[in-house]
Amino acid sequence: MKICVFSDYTSLSAACADGIETLIKEKPDAVLGLATGASPEGAYEELIRRSRAGELSFRAVKTFNLDEYCGLPRADRNSYYSFMWEHLFGHIDIAPENARIPDGNAPDLAAECLAYDEAIKEAGGIDLQVLGIGRNGHIGFNEPADAFTKGTHVTRLTKSTIDANKRYFDDNPMPEAAITMGIGTIFSAKRIVLLATGKKKAEAIKNTVQGDISPRQCPASILQLHPDVTLLLDEEAASLLG
Ligand code: GLP
């Protein structure tokens, strides 16, 4: 694992955008795996800026998002569909059909999961996967469990994740299930960049980098075995690393 620690969020975000820009310049039809959440927002802002400045084009890029809530209408402002269109897709020249997000309202969720993994394969696999991390070490919505998950699947969210995310839902109930790429899907990406900031992520980062490889203690710990993982951290997120 390569670990880069930044003194501010702007330079961390620029480093993430640099990695994506370099890849797209080398391979204009690159396949990106994308994450939602606060962690990648700055990188998306920077990509929008570069795209508006004519430095970067997503015309041939394909993207696959990690996850989506089940049963939340796409138009809901808390859906990951809304997040991605608000924070990235709506401001770059990506073809809408190339910006895939799992459909948490599909009538047959099991079929949607299989079709999602198949579409990733057909696209040639993910060249670069962007990840955030949950406080309990989850990636995508792969919560602590007895075994590492394989492909895209439906999962129940843990109390820790519901507590961390429910602030966005005001008085509305937060969905308790989600569709997510599996650990196997994520692990198949050729390159992985994980972003984490703040004290609340320090424990998860310590477990990711130095903990036992354990699906129960920290799902992200499996990344220790991946050949090309970079962690972009601020000083607080890195503070428990020995
Ligand atoms: C959610 C998402 C994850 C994300 C995590 C961290 O649970 N499913 O994909 O990485 O939250 O989010 P944030 O970056 O807002 O801390």
Side-chain angles (χ1 to χ4, degrees), residues 67-74 79 81 101-109 112 154 175 177-180:
D67 46 17
E68 176 62 282
Y69 292 114
C70 285
L72 195 64
R74 269 188 165 181
S79 76
Y81 179 92
I101 300 173
D103 181 359
N105 293 297
D108 182 344
L109 286 171
E112 169 66 11
V154 174
I179 183 166
T180 180

mmCIF file of all heavy atoms in Angstrom, residues 67-74 79 81 101-109 112 154 175 177-180:
data_model
loop_
_atom_site.group_PDB
_atom_site.id
_atom_site.type_symbol
_atom_site.label_atom_id
_atom_site.label_comp_id
_atom_site.label_asym_id
_atom_site.label_seq_id
_atom_site.Cartn_x
_atom_site.Cartn_y
_atom_site.Cartn_z
ATOM 1 N N ASP A 67 -22.322 1.983 -5.045
ATOM 2 C CA ASP A 67 -23.483 1.557 -4.265
ATOM 3 C C ASP A 67 -24.664 2.512 -4.416
ATOM 4 O O ASP A 67 -24.528 3.597 -4.984
ATOM 5 C CB ASP A 67 -23.101 1.398 -2.783
ATOM 6 C CG ASP A 67 -22.279 2.583 -2.255
ATOM 7 O OD1 ASP A 67 -22.278 3.638 -2.893
ATOM 8 O OD2 ASP A 67 -21.648 2.430 -1.202
ATOM 9 N N GLU A 68 -25.792 2.083 -3.913
ATOM 10 C CA GLU A 68 -27.019 2.901 -3.925
ATOM 11 C C GLU A 68 -27.970 2.350 -2.871
ATOM 12 O O GLU A 68 -27.978 1.147 -2.597
ATOM 13 C CB GLU A 68 -27.664 2.831 -5.321
ATOM 14 C CG GLU A 68 -28.997 3.552 -5.487
ATOM 15 C CD GLU A 68 -28.928 5.070 -5.243
ATOM 16 O OE1 GLU A 68 -28.898 5.450 -4.060
ATOM 17 O OE2 GLU A 68 -28.945 5.845 -6.218
ATOM 18 N N TYR A 69 -28.755 3.242 -2.255
ATOM 19 C CA TYR A 69 -29.769 2.792 -1.296
ATOM 20 C C TYR A 69 -30.864 2.022 -2.020
ATOM 21 O O TYR A 69 -31.175 2.305 -3.173
ATOM 22 C CB TYR A 69 -30.407 3.994 -0.603
ATOM 23 C CG TYR A 69 -29.462 4.729 0.320
ATOM 24 C CD1 TYR A 69 -29.059 6.027 0.030
ATOM 25 C CD2 TYR A 69 -28.981 4.120 1.472
ATOM 26 C CE1 TYR A 69 -28.191 6.709 0.881
ATOM 27 C CE2 TYR A 69 -28.114 4.798 2.321
ATOM 28 C CZ TYR A 69 -27.723 6.083 2.026
ATOM 29 O OH TYR A 69 -26.868 6.740 2.862
ATOM 30 N N CYS A 70 -31.471 1.078 -1.316
ATOM 31 C CA CYS A 70 -32.622 0.359 -1.864
ATOM 32 C C CYS A 70 -33.900 1.096 -1.477
ATOM 33 O O CYS A 70 -34.045 1.557 -0.336
ATOM 34 C CB CYS A 70 -32.705 -1.056 -1.300
ATOM 35 S SG CYS A 70 -31.493 -2.153 -2.004
ATOM 36 N N GLY A 71 -34.791 1.188 -2.447
ATOM 37 C CA GLY A 71 -36.127 1.705 -2.157
ATOM 38 C C GLY A 71 -36.219 3.214 -2.055
ATOM 39 O O GLY A 71 -37.273 3.745 -1.717
ATOM 40 N N LEU A 72 -35.136 3.914 -2.332
ATOM 41 C CA LEU A 72 -35.184 5.377 -2.305
ATOM 42 C C LEU A 72 -35.337 5.845 -3.751
ATOM 43 O O LEU A 72 -34.535 5.448 -4.599
ATOM 44 C CB LEU A 72 -33.864 5.896 -1.716
ATOM 45 C CG LEU A 72 -33.814 7.349 -1.274
ATOM 46 C CD1 LEU A 72 -34.777 7.584 -0.113
ATOM 47 C CD2 LEU A 72 -32.384 7.698 -0.833
ATOM 48 N N PRO A 73 -36.380 6.673 -4.041
ATOM 49 C CA PRO A 73 -36.529 7.095 -5.443
ATOM 50 C C PRO A 73 -35.255 7.801 -5.926
ATOM 51 O O PRO A 73 -34.605 8.502 -5.158
ATOM 52 C CB PRO A 73 -37.698 8.076 -5.385
ATOM 53 C CG PRO A 73 -38.423 7.778 -4.123
ATOM 54 C CD PRO A 73 -37.406 7.226 -3.167
ATOM 55 N N ARG A 74 -34.917 7.584 -7.191
ATOM 56 C CA ARG A 74 -33.733 8.240 -7.773
ATOM 57 C C ARG A 74 -33.742 9.738 -7.556
ATOM 58 O O ARG A 74 -32.705 10.367 -7.346
ATOM 59 C CB ARG A 74 -33.741 8.007 -9.289
ATOM 60 C CG ARG A 74 -32.997 6.793 -9.684
ATOM 61 C CD ARG A 74 -32.890 6.754 -11.182
ATOM 62 N NE ARG A 74 -31.874 5.787 -11.522
ATOM 63 C CZ ARG A 74 -31.496 5.502 -12.748
ATOM 64 N NH1 ARG A 74 -32.068 6.091 -13.772
ATOM 65 N NH2 ARG A 74 -30.555 4.620 -12.966
ATOM 66 N N SER A 79 -30.488 10.169 -2.731
ATOM 67 C CA SER A 79 -30.059 8.992 -3.494
ATOM 68 C C SER A 79 -28.649 9.249 -4.002
ATOM 69 O O SER A 79 -28.236 10.403 -4.204
ATOM 70 C CB SER A 79 -31.017 8.725 -4.654
ATOM 71 O OG SER A 79 -30.780 9.663 -5.697
ATOM 72 N N TYR A 81 -27.722 8.471 -6.855
ATOM 73 C CA TYR A 81 -27.952 8.963 -8.217
ATOM 74 C C TYR A 81 -27.954 10.501 -8.192
ATOM 75 O O TYR A 81 -27.230 11.146 -8.954
ATOM 76 C CB TYR A 81 -29.292 8.416 -8.735
ATOM 77 C CG TYR A 81 -29.650 8.875 -10.122
ATOM 78 C CD1 TYR A 81 -29.280 8.120 -11.237
ATOM 79 C CD2 TYR A 81 -30.364 10.057 -10.330
ATOM 80 C CE1 TYR A 81 -29.605 8.544 -12.519
ATOM 81 C CE2 TYR A 81 -30.687 10.492 -11.603
ATOM 82 C CZ TYR A 81 -30.305 9.734 -12.697
ATOM 83 O OH TYR A 81 -30.617 10.157 -13.954
ATOM 84 N N ILE A 101 -24.985 3.552 -12.211
ATOM 85 C CA ILE A 101 -25.166 3.502 -10.750
ATOM 86 C C ILE A 101 -26.107 2.328 -10.500
ATOM 87 O O ILE A 101 -27.093 2.173 -11.231
ATOM 88 C CB ILE A 101 -25.812 4.816 -10.238
ATOM 89 C CG1 ILE A 101 -24.906 6.008 -10.586
ATOM 90 C CG2 ILE A 101 -26.078 4.758 -8.737
ATOM 91 C CD1 ILE A 101 -25.502 7.374 -10.279
ATOM 92 N N PRO A 102 -25.837 1.483 -9.509
ATOM 93 C CA PRO A 102 -26.766 0.366 -9.292
ATOM 94 C C PRO A 102 -28.187 0.902 -9.068
ATOM 95 O O PRO A 102 -28.360 1.956 -8.459
ATOM 96 C CB PRO A 102 -26.242 -0.312 -8.018
ATOM 97 C CG PRO A 102 -24.865 0.188 -7.818
ATOM 98 C CD PRO A 102 -24.767 1.522 -8.510
ATOM 99 N N ASP A 103 -29.178 0.160 -9.569
ATOM 100 C CA ASP A 103 -30.566 0.583 -9.443
ATOM 101 C C ASP A 103 -31.182 -0.054 -8.199
ATOM 102 O O ASP A 103 -31.556 -1.229 -8.216
ATOM 103 C CB ASP A 103 -31.338 0.184 -10.711
ATOM 104 C CG ASP A 103 -32.790 0.624 -10.660
ATOM 105 O OD1 ASP A 103 -33.198 1.226 -9.632
ATOM 106 O OD2 ASP A 103 -33.528 0.369 -11.629
ATOM 107 N N GLY A 104 -31.280 0.721 -7.150
ATOM 108 C CA GLY A 104 -31.809 0.214 -5.880
ATOM 109 C C GLY A 104 -33.314 0.041 -5.900
ATOM 110 O O GLY A 104 -33.902 -0.380 -4.911
ATOM 111 N N ASN A 105 -33.954 0.386 -7.026
ATOM 112 C CA ASN A 105 -35.397 0.206 -7.166
ATOM 113 C C ASN A 105 -35.735 -0.832 -8.220
ATOM 114 O O ASN A 105 -36.884 -0.926 -8.651
ATOM 115 C CB ASN A 105 -36.059 1.536 -7.539
ATOM 116 C CG ASN A 105 -35.949 2.530 -6.399
ATOM 117 O OD1 ASN A 105 -36.487 2.294 -5.329
ATOM 118 N ND2 ASN A 105 -35.213 3.608 -6.615
ATOM 119 N N ALA A 106 -34.734 -1.583 -8.677
ATOM 120 C CA ALA A 106 -34.996 -2.591 -9.718
ATOM 121 C C ALA A 106 -36.021 -3.589 -9.191
ATOM 122 O O ALA A 106 -35.964 -3.971 -8.015
ATOM 123 C CB ALA A 106 -33.705 -3.300 -10.082
ATOM 124 N N PRO A 107 -36.969 -4.007 -10.049
ATOM 125 C CA PRO A 107 -37.991 -4.956 -9.580
ATOM 126 C C PRO A 107 -37.361 -6.283 -9.146
ATOM 127 O O PRO A 107 -37.845 -6.928 -8.228
ATOM 128 C CB PRO A 107 -38.905 -5.146 -10.805
ATOM 129 C CG PRO A 107 -38.197 -4.509 -11.958
ATOM 130 C CD PRO A 107 -37.166 -3.567 -11.422
ATOM 131 N N ASP A 108 -36.268 -6.660 -9.812
ATOM 132 C CA ASP A 108 -35.569 -7.894 -9.438
ATOM 133 C C ASP A 108 -34.141 -7.510 -9.045
ATOM 134 O O ASP A 108 -33.259 -7.374 -9.895
ATOM 135 C CB ASP A 108 -35.600 -8.860 -10.629
ATOM 136 C CG ASP A 108 -34.928 -10.188 -10.297
ATOM 137 O OD1 ASP A 108 -34.194 -10.258 -9.285
ATOM 138 O OD2 ASP A 108 -35.134 -11.154 -11.057
ATOM 139 N N LEU A 109 -33.931 -7.320 -7.752
ATOM 140 C CA LEU A 109 -32.632 -6.807 -7.292
ATOM 141 C C LEU A 109 -31.506 -7.807 -7.540
ATOM 142 O O LEU A 109 -30.379 -7.421 -7.863
ATOM 143 C CB LEU A 109 -32.706 -6.439 -5.807
ATOM 144 C CG LEU A 109 -33.485 -5.157 -5.489
ATOM 145 C CD1 LEU A 109 -33.686 -5.010 -3.993
ATOM 146 C CD2 LEU A 109 -32.782 -3.916 -6.051
ATOM 147 N N GLU A 112 -30.463 -7.423 -11.032
ATOM 148 C CA GLU A 112 -29.735 -6.153 -11.175
ATOM 149 C C GLU A 112 -28.275 -6.330 -10.722
ATOM 150 O O GLU A 112 -27.354 -5.832 -11.361
ATOM 151 C CB GLU A 112 -30.441 -5.061 -10.347
ATOM 152 C CG GLU A 112 -29.672 -3.752 -10.178
ATOM 153 C CD GLU A 112 -29.469 -2.954 -11.464
ATOM 154 O OE1 GLU A 112 -30.096 -3.297 -12.480
ATOM 155 O OE2 GLU A 112 -28.652 -1.999 -11.432
ATOM 156 N N VAL A 154 -27.192 -7.241 -2.394
ATOM 157 C CA VAL A 154 -28.014 -6.395 -1.519
ATOM 158 C C VAL A 154 -27.573 -6.652 -0.084
ATOM 159 O O VAL A 154 -27.312 -7.787 0.300
ATOM 160 C CB VAL A 154 -29.509 -6.731 -1.691
ATOM 161 C CG1 VAL A 154 -30.359 -5.967 -0.674
ATOM 162 C CG2 VAL A 154 -29.959 -6.391 -3.106
ATOM 163 N N PRO A 175 -33.067 4.601 4.522
ATOM 164 C CA PRO A 175 -33.176 3.204 4.089
ATOM 165 C C PRO A 175 -32.237 2.321 4.905
ATOM 166 O O PRO A 175 -31.156 2.760 5.299
ATOM 167 C CB PRO A 175 -32.730 3.249 2.624
ATOM 168 C CG PRO A 175 -32.850 4.663 2.207
ATOM 169 C CD PRO A 175 -32.672 5.491 3.430
ATOM 170 N N ALA A 177 -31.360 -0.802 3.744
ATOM 171 C CA ALA A 177 -30.721 -1.761 2.835
ATOM 172 C C ALA A 177 -30.127 -0.999 1.661
ATOM 173 O O ALA A 177 -30.539 0.125 1.351
ATOM 174 C CB ALA A 177 -31.742 -2.776 2.339
ATOM 175 N N ALA A 178 -29.140 -1.608 1.059
ATOM 176 C CA ALA A 178 -28.477 -0.975 -0.085
ATOM 177 C C ALA A 178 -27.979 -2.053 -1.022
ATOM 178 O O ALA A 178 -27.830 -3.221 -0.646
ATOM 179 C CB ALA A 178 -27.307 -0.118 0.393
ATOM 180 N N ILE A 179 -27.724 -1.634 -2.258
ATOM 181 C CA ILE A 179 -27.103 -2.522 -3.237
ATOM 182 C C ILE A 179 -25.657 -2.030 -3.354
ATOM 183 O O ILE A 179 -25.409 -0.833 -3.402
ATOM 184 C CB ILE A 179 -27.912 -2.482 -4.552
ATOM 185 C CG1 ILE A 179 -27.394 -3.408 -5.615
ATOM 186 C CG2 ILE A 179 -28.024 -1.135 -5.120
ATOM 187 C CD1 ILE A 179 -28.436 -3.588 -6.751
ATOM 188 N N THR A 180 -24.716 -2.934 -3.308
ATOM 189 C CA THR A 180 -23.314 -2.514 -3.319
ATOM 190 C C THR A 180 -22.430 -3.475 -4.117
ATOM 191 O O THR A 180 -22.700 -4.685 -4.142
ATOM 192 C CB THR A 180 -22.759 -2.415 -1.866
ATOM 193 O OG1 THR A 180 -21.386 -2.007 -1.915
ATOM 194 C CG2 THR A 180 -22.838 -3.727 -1.103
#
